[in-house]
């Protein structure tokens, strides 16, 4: 699998070299990728689950004096234990809005709002866990330009969030008596999370080969999640994606 | 401070910080099962289980097992003491081993005391309605109609699963049977399902609204750590049937089938006939995965009647006790049904 990832990296950067061109100020984009995820959600299992999860991201960004971005990201795939036991459907969807103001020629700082739905579903919920969270993050963005190569680094870190998670035993009477109303289960009984029980640093590196009109790019996203409600949730993810500006 | 630094290092870089919390060896697997049950199982108090003493008995055995087959035997013997059909374990191999606590002896015997085919062939009028639960079913599962030669209705409810849509027929069923003089509601061998479904159906047979039971879910490591109770009431819903009803139960009436019977037994116009139900009321936990590929699950709740007693460990006790003879069942005879007809007449 590692060799496949290396090939994918190579292909992505080659495609950026062949097709990559100058950035526009505002544009829509679409991005396909694959994330290498390691998960331990204690509500779900005390074992570590792993998988390669395909992703699709669409969005709009505007880069003037200030930076605006809104995007929708969906991930869907299978994780399992030791590539062998308990194949589990992993579903994630999130909506992000980023805004940043200039702090220097190449740096901007601001905030991000993100709302996320994440579900683990084993065997039609004979076991499962969910995390819905809405959080405000610090957002930093910096551009590096060397000759025709552009690298844009982004860093986000949550300050405060609101999350709904399974309770102590996973399935309590609230879940049992509302099993015909899934959104109510997913979006009720929220708790506030902040720095001491919630950490999710995310680093994104976007590479563009600037030549003529900008169109294609590649991106590497690293994130780590630690969310400690009654049962802690740990997640580690490295996602490689390549996209096109429309 | 050390922990904070370690956490920061973990946060920034390493997926290797995310580790399995159960080692893959016999003793660790036994300990995980015992501890998860200890910290989350809801039935210790009503079932009078001394869980620590079971550890004293079975832990040394788990330490000395030589293979997984022996470990399986030790673990299932320990879990079988609970006599709670909602406590189950599987080895996750197709066609492999499965276990449900208390199932081996009495539940399997009770299943043979009832055959729906006997009712259809020998007791119902020909214009009965039968619905298969899914296309793969070879036999009709949900049935309603009238008893041959009598103005008595009959409904058989196989389970309360949401994926099987029979429960949506309940209003039609009530409408069809509203002119009968009495009704037999049969939940023998009812395998359970979702509480929302049994509560939906039960509302059609309620006449008097009153507080009938409460449910509490474990929320801490002590055996008596429970959330605040949620109270349930016998609330009439939709078009109701309030003429005399005989409800038939047996020891294979399980889970949501039993909760349905709490509703039914709370009503003055319902008489319960049969043998005590399985005694597995509570919703189960999600499956707990083990590093050798096994998984197990167990109930996490406590059901209480308004007087503080619990049906867990007891089941629904019928107003009139009677069991079918399996020999007669094999001949097509259902004495419980015949008794129900006599009672209604």
């Amino acid at each position: 699998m590692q060799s496949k990832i290396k090939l994918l990296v190579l292909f992505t950067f080659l495609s950026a070299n062949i097709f990559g061109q100058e950035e526009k100020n505002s544009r829509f984009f679409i991005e396909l990728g694959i994330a290498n995820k390691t998960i331990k959600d204690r509500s779900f299992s005390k074992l570590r689950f792993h998988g390669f999860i395909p992703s699709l991201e669409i969005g709009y960004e505007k880069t003037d004096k200030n930076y605006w971005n809104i995007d929708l990201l969906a991930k869907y795939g299978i994780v399992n234990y030791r590539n062998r036991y308990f194949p589990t459907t992993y579903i994630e969807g999130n909506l992000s809005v980023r805004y940043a103001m200039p702090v220097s020629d190449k740096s901007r700082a601001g905030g991000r709002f993100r709302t996320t739905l994440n579900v683990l579903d084993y065997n039609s919920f004979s076991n499962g866990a969910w995390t819905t969270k809405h959080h405000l993050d610090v957002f930093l963005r910096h551009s590096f330009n060397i000759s025709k190569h552009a690298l844009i680094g982004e860093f986000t870190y949550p300050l405060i969030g609101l999350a709904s998670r399974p309770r102590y035993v996973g399935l309590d009477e609230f879940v049992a008596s509302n099993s015909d109303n899934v959104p109510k289960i997913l979006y009720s009984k929220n708790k506030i999370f902040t720095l001491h029980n919630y950490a999710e640093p995310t680093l994104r590196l976007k590479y563009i080969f600037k030549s003529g009109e900008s169109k294609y790019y590649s991106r590497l996203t690293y994130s780590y999640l630690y969310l400690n409600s009654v049962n802690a949730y740990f997640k580690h993810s490295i996602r490689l994606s390549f996209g096109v500006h429309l | 401070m050390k922990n904070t630094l370690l956490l920061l290092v973990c946060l920034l870089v390493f997926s290797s910080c995310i580790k399995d919390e159960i080692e893959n060896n016999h003793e660790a697997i036994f300990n995980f099962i015992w501890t998860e049950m200890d910290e989350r199982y809801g039935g210790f108090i009503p079932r009078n289980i001394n869980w620590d003493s079971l550890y004293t008995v079975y832990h040394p055995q788990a330490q000395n097992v030589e293979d997984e087959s022996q470990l399986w035997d030790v673990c299932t013997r320990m879990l079988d003491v609970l006599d709670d059909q909602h406590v189950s374990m599987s080895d996750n191999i197709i066609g492999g081993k499965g276990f449900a606590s208390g199932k081996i002896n009495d539940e399997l015997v009770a299943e043979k005391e009832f055959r729906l085919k006997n009712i259809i062939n020998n007791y119902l009028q020909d214009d009965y309605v039968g619905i298969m639960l899914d296309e793969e079913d070879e036999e009709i599962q949900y049935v309603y109609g009238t008893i041959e030669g009598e103005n008595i209705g009959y409904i058989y409810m196989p389970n309360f699963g949401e994926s099987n849509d029979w429960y949506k027929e309940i209003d039609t069923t009530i409408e069809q049977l509203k002119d009968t003089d009495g009704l037999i509601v049969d939940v023998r061998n009812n395998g359970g399902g979702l509480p929302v479904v049994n509560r939906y159906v039960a509302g059609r047979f309620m006449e008097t609204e009153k507080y009938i039971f409460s449910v509490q879910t474990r929320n801490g490591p002590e055996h008596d750590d429970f959330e605040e109770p949620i109270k349930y009431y016998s609330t009439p819903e939709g078009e109701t049937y309030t003429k005399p009803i005989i409800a038939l139960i047996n020891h294979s009436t399980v889970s949501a089938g039993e909760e349905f019977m709490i509703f039914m037994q709370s009503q003055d116009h319902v008489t319960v006939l049969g043998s005590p139900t399985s005694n597995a009321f509570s919703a189960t936990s999600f499956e707990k995965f083990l590093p050798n590929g096994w998984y197990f699950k167990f109930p996490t709740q406590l059901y209480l009647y308004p007087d503080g007693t619990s049906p867990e460990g007891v089941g629904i006790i019928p107003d009139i006790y009677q069991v079918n003879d399996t020999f007669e069942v094999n001949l097509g005879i259902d004495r419980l049904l015949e008794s129900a007809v006599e009672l209604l007449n």
Side-chain angles (χ1 to χ4, degrees):
Chain A
M1 195 65 206
Q2 278 187 336
S3 59
K4 283 181 186 170
I5 292 172
K6 282 176 188 168
L7 274 174
L8 189 60
V9 173
L10 194 64
F11 173 76
T12 306
F13 279 78
L14 274 175
S15 64
N17 274 287
I18 294 165
F19 300 108
Q21 293 164 28
E22 197 82 28
E23 282 189 272
K24 282 181 186 172
N25 281 344
S26 67
R27 62 260 169 122
F28 289 93
F29 62 89
I30 185 164
E31 198 174 308
L32 284 169
I34 188 155
N36 179 359
K37 282 193 184 294
T38 304
I39 294 162
K40 185 173 67 183
D41 182 345
R42 283 183 180 144
S43 299
F44 178 70
S45 174
K46 291 186 176 175
L47 302 176
R48 190 173 74 146
F49 280 63
H50 176 259
F52 288 91
I53 309 293
S55 70
L56 170 68
E57 185 171 359
I58 54 172
Y60 171 80
E61 65 179 3
K62 188 174 180 183
T63 315
D64 289 325
K65 185 181 168 190
N66 299 330
Y67 175 76
W68 279 98
N69 171 296
I70 180 165
D71 66 59
L72 198 60
L73 170 64
K75 297 175 190 169
Y76 183 91
I78 301 293
V79 293
N80 55 26
Y81 175 62
R82 293 191 174 175
N83 296 322
R84 185 174 177 194
Y85 295 124
F86 318 122
T88 298
T89 304
Y90 178 95
I91 302 165
E92 182 184 327
N94 55 56
L95 173 71
S96 300
V97 180
R98 298 174 179 84
Y99 172 72
M101 294 180 293
V103 290
S104 71
D105 280 354
K106 294 182 176 177
S107 299
R108 291 180 173 86
R112 177 180 77 165
F113 171 76
R114 179 178 247 203
T115 182
T116 300
L117 167 65
N118 180 200
V119 174
L120 290 167
D121 174 10
Y122 173 74
N123 193 17
S124 300
F125 274 100
S126 65
N127 191 357
W130 70 91
T131 307
T132 52
K133 55 188 173 69
H134 325 282
H135 48 102
L136 283 171
D137 308 343
V138 169
F139 171 54
L140 304 172
R141 179 181 162 91
H142 187 83
S143 304
F144 307 88
N145 287 292
I146 304 168
S147 179
K148 289 185 173 180
H149 305 278
L151 194 63
I152 301 165
E154 292 177 351
F155 178 76
T156 51
Y157 196 93
L159 296 175
I160 191 164
L162 204 60
S164 173
R165 296 269 296 136
R167 265 67 71 181
Y168 181 75
V169 292
L171 195 159
D172 66 356
E173 186 57 15
F174 177 80
V175 177
S177 59
N178 289 286
S179 57
D180 56 345
N181 188 352
V182 175
K184 188 174 177 181
I185 295 169
L186 296 179
Y187 287 99
S188 296
K189 300 210 169 187
N190 288 288
K191 276 176 65 179
I192 291 175
F193 289 83
T194 184
L195 300 174
H196 70 287
N197 55 4
Y198 176 33
E200 191 174 15
T202 303
L203 182 65
R204 304 208 304 171
L205 292 172
K206 180 179 178 181
Y207 172 79
I208 304 164
F209 183 78
K210 295 195 289 186
S211 171
E213 206 174 314
S214 171
K215 202 163 185 187
Y216 295 90
Y217 63 92
S218 57
R219 195 189 317 257
L220 194 64
T221 306
Y222 171 88
S223 70
Y224 185 92
L225 169 68
Y226 164 72
L227 182 69
N228 191 6
S229 58
V230 177
N231 298 296
Y233 186 14
F234 302 89
K235 183 164 65 177
H236 175 270
S237 171
I238 299 175
R239 180 163 60 99
L240 179 67
S241 50
F242 53 96
V244 57
H245 295 135
L246 302 172
Chain B
M1 188 64 189
K2 262 185 176 178
N3 286 342
T4 311
L5 281 173
L6 184 66
L7 178 65
L8 279 173
V9 172
C10 288
L11 290 179
L12 287 174
V13 192
F14 303 113
S15 69
S16 59
C17 288
I18 305 176
K19 287 182 174 165
D20 295 334
E21 290 177 39
I22 319 163
E23 288 181 46
N24 192 1
N25 65 61
H26 297 151
E27 188 180 1
I29 287 169
F30 174 87
N31 281 338
F32 179 73
I33 294 171
W34 187 89
T35 305
E36 278 294 300
M37 295 286 294
D38 185 49
E39 294 180 349
R40 290 175 168 80
Y41 179 60
F44 290 122
I45 295 169
R47 290 170 191 275
N48 290 317
I49 301 293
N50 186 334
W51 194 234
D52 290 335
S53 72
L54 290 178
Y55 186 84
T56 308
V57 172
Y58 290 102
H59 179 248
Q61 296 179 33
Q63 285 178 307
N64 292 322
V65 297
E66 292 176 356
D67 55 35
E68 285 203 344
S69 176
Q70 290 180 8
L71 179 66
W72 174 274
D73 290 342
V74 171
C75 294
T76 53
R77 280 204 305 274
M78 176 177 74
L79 298 174
D80 205 35
V81 174
L82 300 167
D83 186 25
D84 183 343
Q85 210 180 123
H86 275 167
V87 177
S88 62
M89 195 156 86
S90 167
D91 66 1
N92 198 21
I93 297 168
I94 295 169
K97 287 183 280 196
F99 160 83
S101 175
K103 172 89 177 169
I104 290 172
N105 299 319
D106 34 23
E107 266 85 0
L108 291 178
V109 172
E111 280 176 15
K112 293 174 184 167
E113 293 165 359
F114 170 73
R115 268 191 209 164
L116 181 59
K117 201 183 286 182
N118 290 347
I119 308 281
I120 293 170
N121 293 343
N122 303 330
Y123 295 96
L124 288 185
Q125 285 183 189
D126 291 340
D127 59 352
Y128 71 86
V129 175
I131 296 173
M132 291 183 183
L133 294 189
D134 58 56
E135 289 176 2
E136 291 176 7
D137 277 335
E138 291 177 3
E139 293 182 8
I140 292 165
Q141 298 286 317
Y142 172 64
V143 173
Y144 66 89
T146 48
I147 301 293
E148 183 78 52
E150 308 279 352
N151 190 27
I152 294 172
Y154 174 86
I155 307 174
Y156 180 69
M157 301 177 186
N159 61 45
F160 294 103
E162 192 179 35
S163 58
N164 309 315
D165 283 349
W166 72 258
Y167 71 92
K168 292 175 183 167
E169 293 290 317
I170 193 66
D171 288 327
T172 308
T173 305
I174 300 290
E175 174 65 26
Q176 295 285 319
L177 300 177
K178 68 179 180 184
D179 294 329
T180 54
D181 298 330
L183 183 63
I184 298 167
V185 175
D186 195 344
V187 289
R188 287 176 290 175
N189 291 6
N190 182 302
L194 296 175
V196 287
V197 175
N198 83 62
R199 291 166 193 169
Y200 174 89
V201 176
R204 274 64 188 169
F205 302 102
M206 298 299 100
E207 184 176 28
T208 315
E209 179 160 341
K210 56 187 169 185
Y211 165 41
I212 51 171
F213 71 97
S214 68
V215 182
Q216 293 170 269
T217 306
R218 276 288 291 267
N219 68 351
E222 301 301 324
H223 291 185
D224 57 357
D225 283 339
F226 286 98
E227 291 174 353
E228 286 299 303
I230 294 176
K231 292 180 176 179
Y232 287 96
Y233 295 81
S234 54
T235 308
E237 300 277 358
E239 194 71 33
T240 56
Y241 191 99
T242 55
K243 293 176 191 172
I245 294 175
I246 304 293
L248 302 181
I249 58 173
N250 68 358
H251 204 51
S252 275
T253 304
V254 186
S255 189
E258 296 182 271
E259 193 191 272
F260 174 78
M261 285 308 304
I262 297 181
F263 282 95
M264 296 297 279
Q265 201 166 33
S266 71
Q267 301 299 298
D268 291 340
H269 67 289
V270 179
T271 303
V272 182
L273 173 64
S275 52
T277 57
S278 172
N279 85 78
F281 290 81
S282 159
T284 56
S285 67
F286 289 139
E287 284 159 349
K288 305 288 179 183
F289 301 135
L290 294 163
N292 61 349
W294 298 357
Y295 57 80
F296 69 106
K297 60 182 179 179
F298 52 85
T300 55
Q301 298 181 313
L302 175 63
Y303 274 60
L304 290 175
Y305 289 122
D307 65 1
T309 60
S310 175
E312 295 281 3
V314 180
I316 300 293
I317 305 298
D319 301 316
I320 302 166
Y321 178 84
Q322 186 179 343
V323 290
N324 273 339
D325 185 315
T326 50
F327 179 74
E328 287 190 324
V329 170
N330 289 336
L331 296 175
I333 297 165
D334 193 319
R335 294 288 181 204
L336 254 79
L337 187 91
E338 291 173 6
S339 298
V341 172
E342 278 179 33
L343 284 166
L344 287 168
N345 281 328

